[in-house]
Amino acid sequence: MLTRFFKKREGADAPQAHPAAPTQADAKAAKARQADEARTEWLPRVQAAQGDDAALLLITQTAPLWEVKLAAVEALTGEEPLKQAERELRSQDSRVHRVAKKRLVAAVAQREARSGAQAVIDDATALLQEAPLPANRLVAIDRGWQALAAELLTPEQLTQFAALREQLNSALREEGEAQQRLQQEQQQRLAEQARQAEADEDARLAALAALAAEPPAEPAPEAAIEAPPPPPPPKTLLSPEQREQLDSLLSLAEAALAEGQLGDMQQRLQDVDTALDALKGVTLSDKLRGRHQALHAELARLKGWQKWGGALALEALVDEAEALAKLTLLASRTEIANVPKLRLKAHAESIQGMRSRWKEIHSVGAPVNQTLWQRFDAALQAAYVPVAAQQAALKATRDENLQAREALLATLDAVPLAEAPAGPEAQAAHWKEPLRALGHFQLAWRQLGPLEHTVPPPKRKALQQRLNDSVARIEAPSEAARRTAEAQREHLIARAETLVQELARNPRDAVPRVRELQAEWQQHARSLPLERKAENALWGRFKAATDAVFVQREAAFSARDAELAANLAEREALIARLTAIDLDTAPVAEMQRALGDADRAWRQPVEVPRAAVRPLDTRFSQARAALAQAVAESAQKRWQAQCDHLLAKLALCEERETAAELTDLASRWAALEALPAAWEKPLAQRWSQAPAPGPLAATACDDLLLQLEAALDLPASAESLAARRDLKLRALKDALEGRSAQTQDPVTQRAQWFATALRQAGMSPLQRERLRALIAVLRQAQPGSLGGAAR
């Protein structure tokens, strides 16, 4: 369980991973080259076939690389080529097939959206020719357009529909303004009638007042006197409060009429009629009576318009229902192409919405038309056929699902369950079959889907109760056993936590004791697994306690690793300091000091990783040998560099003595490195003097060169051998005769000879050649010869 416990610490002797076989690398490289060649060959074909679906389809069938096929599929534009590509690529590369299927779905959706948009545009164009505009059809057009995805439509369709909708809005506004003008004219007529009635009433009252003011006429003779007619019944006029009440009610009804609130107007008129019924025997003024009658007349006229509009709305709703039924019939016929599929949920909502709109139209006073209702109901029943078929299929599926669940419950109820025995091994055998059966049952139950969506609603409650009882029959006793197992695991955790404290003092027997605890945990886990969440929580605590032991162990290993790494870094730094010394320019003393320091540091006993011992020794030996060799060769290199500078200055002196123009000789002289004083002084004197031969004569110069050649043991030619023997004889003769006393050592004397030769100007070409030969031999001699100081 704890793989960390079995971690091995690998040292220098650990096996190293073998590199990949050359044949595999060659095969991969060859495969990569073939892929590159195929891309180079096929991608230009894809570019050339842009716009040609047949050529692109052929590429998807014959191209050797999936990325080439993908590029060809992405370049396809037609729906039929995409359909063929999707069908042919099903059994090939899944990546290319997914792209082909996605593009095919997008192409079909685009075609359906644009076809639906064109149908909505045609309906809007036809609606413009009708007057008055049916409000229900205008709403249906708006709903149909909003159901379309705008990003799938063409810009021309968007522009065309926007223009048509603006025209419909303008027509609707014009109809509303015409209706408002008609209402205003009607109100003006009513007001005029009311004013006229009030004027007539005032005139009648004035006439009555005038008759009352005239004197009574002379009585006629008895014979001529007739019996007077019976007096009219007395009139009861409205009181000011009653008149104000009726005027307020009529004003409210007129305001409702002005706002177009027909239902509110009818309610206000009913209030007026109720108030008049309560005032029986009271005479109304002509003004109030005219206003009351005018309002009733306008209400009757508007109700007639309302019934006429309701009839039109019902006819439009019937037409819409029949169109939906026709579309349903076309969608059910698979042999007809380019017919959009029904979205049954939206289809059912449309049918329900039409029935609700029929009820709303009837509720506002539309006339009952049995013929229209039969057409409407028949059309919606025909349109409801696929929805009913879907619901029947759904009911059958739910019944099958219910039967499958009942069979699962019967299988679970048949699992035998006896009393649990004692002992971990016996419990493991006892609970194995019931828990396995319960696990299979729960998995199969989940695969049948959510209960609320897959079972008939009337059966859900009883099924849920049976499920609870069947599962509890196994889970209740198993839960008790799990609680016991959980307590045992808690005991193991306590032992592990105690073990951490004990092993902190004595970590030697950490591994055996931790393994013992882990074995016990595994035994308990096999006997009865706990619920996943509880098992994970307990295991986390147990693992944390056992990991603490390994943390201590890892700390010791980490400390040792850190120490070895520090020692390795120190050795690496020592080698780096040796290799960083510039062997060409560093002073010899510095190189010698670095060499001694490195030897002392390397001799110190330091432990490094075993795998690095031999490489470090090899690298240190190589770096030390290179530095020691550089120390040995540095003096000779510098001596040779001095001889080279001597030749350069000697050449400048000779050029100064023979050149016609002295242009940059001074700067070139100043740029050269200074020589030892024994050489620099005679050359500086020669450089500062006027170009003239000397100071020695030609013969004396030859003798001087001869002495230097003999001193340096320069190989002599046949001609110079005689001169060299003659020189030795003369020197021997002078020594015998005592004419040349030895006043200085030979080394100093030879250095003076060489300085004199360097100072000699005006040498012949042969003499200059002999002097250069001397310097060449001097270059290979020991540093410091002939007055040169070794640096």
Side-chain angles (χ1 to χ4, degrees):
M1 297 174 66
L2 290 176
T3 56
R4 183 176 180 181
F5 180 78
F6 302 101
K7 178 181 176 183
K8 297 181 180 180
R9 305 191 55 82
E10 298 182 356
D13 299 332
Q16 301 295 324
H18 295 288
T23 55
Q24 295 179 356
D26 295 342
K28 290 181 180 179
K31 188 175 180 180
R33 285 196 300 271
Q34 292 175 0
D36 292 339
E37 292 173 357
R39 292 189 192 95
T40 305
E41 177 184 357
W42 283 91
L43 289 179
R45 294 188 186 182
V46 175
Q47 294 294 333
Q50 294 288 334
D52 187 355
D53 285 350
L56 291 170
L57 190 59
L58 181 61
I59 292 175
T60 63
Q61 299 168 352
T62 57
L65 296 177
W66 71 269
E67 54 260 38
V68 177
K69 293 183 179 182
L70 182 62
V73 167
E74 290 179 343
L76 289 173
T77 56
E79 183 177 337
E80 284 302 322
L82 283 171
K83 186 181 297 183
Q84 184 176 354
E86 188 273 336
R87 186 168 54 252
E88 293 176 353
L89 290 170
R90 288 177 185 174
S91 59
Q92 300 181 24
D93 195 293
S94 60
R95 295 168 290 189
V96 185
H97 174 256
R98 282 197 300 270
V99 174
K101 185 176 181 180
K102 182 178 179 181
R103 297 204 68 234
L104 175 60
V105 171
V108 172
Q110 185 184 67
R111 173 178 55 76
E112 293 178 352
R114 292 181 178 180
S115 176
Q118 190 59 45
V120 174
I121 290 173
D122 294 341
D123 291 344
T125 304
L127 188 61
L128 276 175
Q129 309 304 323
E130 300 184 15
L133 293 177
N136 59 332
R137 290 187 60 189
L138 187 59
V139 172
I141 288 174
D142 287 338
R143 289 178 179 174
W145 186 263
Q146 292 172 0
L148 300 173
E151 64 272 9
L152 300 179
L153 307 181
T154 63
E156 293 77 10
Q157 288 178 326
L158 295 173
T159 304
Q160 186 178 2
F161 180 78
L164 287 172
R165 193 65 183 84
E166 183 60 31
Q167 295 176 16
L168 290 172
N169 290 338
S170 300
L172 194 62
R173 284 196 300 271
E174 291 176 359
E175 289 184 1
E177 292 172 357
Q179 184 69 21
Q180 187 176 7
R181 286 195 300 271
L182 182 63
Q183 291 180 358
Q184 291 176 353
E185 292 174 359
Q186 183 68 24
Q187 291 175 5
Q188 290 176 0
R189 287 197 302 270
L190 291 175
E192 183 64 28
Q193 291 175 2
R195 286 195 297 271
Q196 185 63 37
E198 187 176 2
D200 293 343
E201 179 68 15
D202 293 341
R204 188 178 66 82
L205 293 175
L208 291 175
L211 288 175
E214 291 181 358
E218 294 271 337
E222 271 183 39
I225 296 176
E226 298 179 357
K235 296 182 179 180
T236 304
L237 300 178
L238 294 173
S239 66
E241 293 81 6
Q242 294 171 340
R243 182 183 181 89
E244 183 179 357
Q245 179 187 5
L246 289 176
D247 182 73
S248 175
L249 292 174
L250 290 173
S251 298
L252 291 175
E254 290 168 351
L257 174 63
E259 295 176 0
Q261 303 293 334
L262 191 60
D264 192 15
M265 174 187 175
Q266 185 174 359
Q267 180 64 38
R268 299 302 180 186
L269 281 179
Q270 289 178 358
D271 295 342
V272 174
D273 294 340
T274 302
L276 290 176
D277 290 341
L279 297 175
K280 289 183 179 180
V282 178
T283 303
L284 295 179
S285 66
D286 293 340
K287 179 178 179 181
L288 291 177
R289 186 181 301 106
R291 290 171 64 189
H292 183 223
Q293 293 174 353
L295 286 173
H296 270 290
E298 184 64 15
L299 177 63
R301 187 186 68 82
L302 291 178
K303 280 196 171 185
W305 276 98
Q306 188 180 51
K307 290 182 179 180
W308 177 79
L312 290 180
L314 290 178
E315 291 179 0
L317 193 57
V318 171
D319 293 340
E320 186 177 351
E322 291 177 344
L324 185 63
K326 183 178 179 182
L327 179 62
T328 306
L329 180 61
L330 289 176
S332 64
R333 300 175 62 183
T334 57
E335 67 274 9
I336 301 179
N338 298 328
V339 176
K341 295 182 180 179
L342 292 179
R343 296 181 176 88
L344 292 180
K345 182 178 180 181
H347 189 72
E349 292 175 353
S350 299
I351 294 173
Q352 184 62 32
M354 288 183 185
R355 292 193 180 276
S356 300
R357 285 156 57 194
W358 182 280
K359 293 179 180 179
E360 290 176 2
I361 294 172
H362 268 295
S363 67
V364 295
V368 178
N369 190 323
Q370 191 64 24
T371 303
L372 285 178
W373 163 250
Q374 292 175 354
R375 289 173 55 195
F376 177 75
D377 186 61
L380 289 188
Q381 287 182 4
Y384 194 73
V385 169
V387 179
Q390 184 197 39
Q391 291 182 350
L394 180 60
K395 182 177 182 303
T397 302
R398 287 180 174 178
D399 291 339
E400 293 177 0
N401 189 281
L402 176 62
Q403 295 175 5
R405 291 180 187 272
E406 289 176 344
L408 286 175
L409 288 170
T411 304
L412 183 64
D413 292 339
V415 175
L417 189 63
E419 185 177 355
E425 297 297 335
Q427 283 194 2
H430 171 76
W431 289 110
K432 180 179 180 181
E433 183 60 28
L435 292 179
R436 185 182 65 83
L438 181 61
H440 290 333
F441 167 80
Q442 291 174 338
L443 176 62
W445 188 273
R446 287 193 298 268
Q447 290 174 349
L448 292 175
L451 195 66
E452 61 272 13
H453 299 309
T454 56
V455 175
K459 303 290 185 179
R460 290 174 189 168
K461 185 175 181 181
L463 187 66
Q464 183 66 48
Q465 183 61 42
R466 184 180 175 188
L467 170 67
N468 296 338
D469 295 341
S470 298
V471 173
R473 187 179 73 90
I474 297 177
E475 281 192 343
S478 65
E479 282 298 325
R482 285 194 178 99
R483 286 193 292 271
T484 302
E486 186 173 350
Q488 293 172 349
R489 286 173 173 75
E490 290 282 358
H491 180 64
L492 289 177
I493 293 172
R495 287 174 55 191
E497 292 174 347
T498 305
L499 182 62
V500 173
Q501 301 174 0
E502 294 176 359
L503 296 181
R505 298 186 295 270
N506 185 17
R508 288 189 174 184
D509 55 347
V511 173
R513 298 183 67 179
V514 171
R515 283 182 177 175
E516 179 183 350
L517 283 177
Q518 290 174 344
E520 291 185 33
W521 184 279
Q522 291 175 355
Q523 182 181 5
H524 284 288
R526 285 192 300 267
S527 64
L528 183 62
L530 301 178
E531 189 268 337
R532 182 180 297 274
K533 183 177 180 181
E535 186 76 58
N536 291 339
L538 291 171
W539 166 248
R541 291 168 56 195
F542 179 77
K543 185 176 182 298
T546 53
D547 283 350
V549 178
F550 298 104
V551 168
Q552 297 173 2
R553 189 164 174 261
E554 282 297 320
F557 287 144
S558 299
R560 178 174 174 79
D561 290 344
E563 181 182 0
L564 294 178
N567 295 339
L568 178 61
E570 184 179 350
R571 292 295 196 189
E572 292 282 357
L574 180 59
I575 296 174
R577 287 197 297 271
L578 290 180
T579 55
I581 297 175
D582 190 349
L583 303 180
D584 295 329
T585 60
V588 179
E590 180 181 343
M591 290 191 290
Q592 290 175 341
R593 183 170 56 255
L595 193 61
D597 294 341
D599 288 339
R600 284 190 298 272
W602 196 264
R603 285 193 296 268
Q604 295 296 327
V606 172
E607 185 178 5
V608 297
R610 294 171 58 187
V613 172
R614 184 172 298 176
L616 284 175
D617 288 339
T618 302
R619 290 169 54 200
F620 176 77
S621 299
Q622 293 174 352
R624 187 189 183 288
L627 185 59
Q629 182 67 22
V631 170
E633 295 177 356
S634 178
Q636 187 66 29
K637 289 180 180 179
R638 293 188 177 279
W639 171 253
Q640 292 175 356
Q642 288 181 2
C643 293
D644 294 339
H645 289 305
L646 175 62
L647 286 173
K649 286 199 170 185
L650 186 62
L652 282 178
C653 290
E654 293 173 353
E655 185 177 354
R656 177 175 176 274
E657 295 164 0
T658 58
E661 296 182 0
L662 305 178
T663 55
D664 59 344
L665 293 180
S667 60
R668 290 163 59 190
W669 177 273
L672 291 175
E673 186 179 346
L675 299 174
W679 296 352
E680 184 71 26
K681 183 177 180 180
L683 286 175
Q685 293 176 353
R686 180 176 177 180
W687 177 264
S688 61
Q689 294 176 357
L696 298 178
T699 304
C701 184
D702 288 336
D703 292 341
L704 182 63
L705 292 174
L706 190 62
Q707 290 175 345
L708 288 172
E709 290 170 352
L712 294 177
D713 199 13
L714 191 70
S717 61
E719 295 79 5
S720 61
L721 280 176
R724 190 177 294 183
R725 285 195 300 269
D726 184 54
L727 179 62
K728 289 182 179 180
L729 290 173
R730 285 203 311 268
L732 182 59
K733 181 180 178 182
D734 292 338
L736 292 173
E737 293 177 353
R739 288 183 292 182
S740 60
Q742 188 72 21
T743 59
Q744 56 186 357
D745 63 282
V747 175
T748 305
Q749 187 178 25
R750 292 170 184 173
Q752 292 177 354
W753 290 345
F754 186 66
T756 304
L758 293 177
R759 186 180 178 187
Q760 180 68 24
M763 287 186 177
S764 64
L766 179 59
Q767 291 174 339
R768 290 198 297 270
E769 186 65 27
R770 291 173 66 187
L771 181 57
R772 281 181 171 76
L774 285 170
I775 296 175
V777 173
L778 182 64
R779 192 174 184 275
Q780 302 301 324
Q782 289 292 330
S785 301
L786 297 183
R791 292 182 295 173

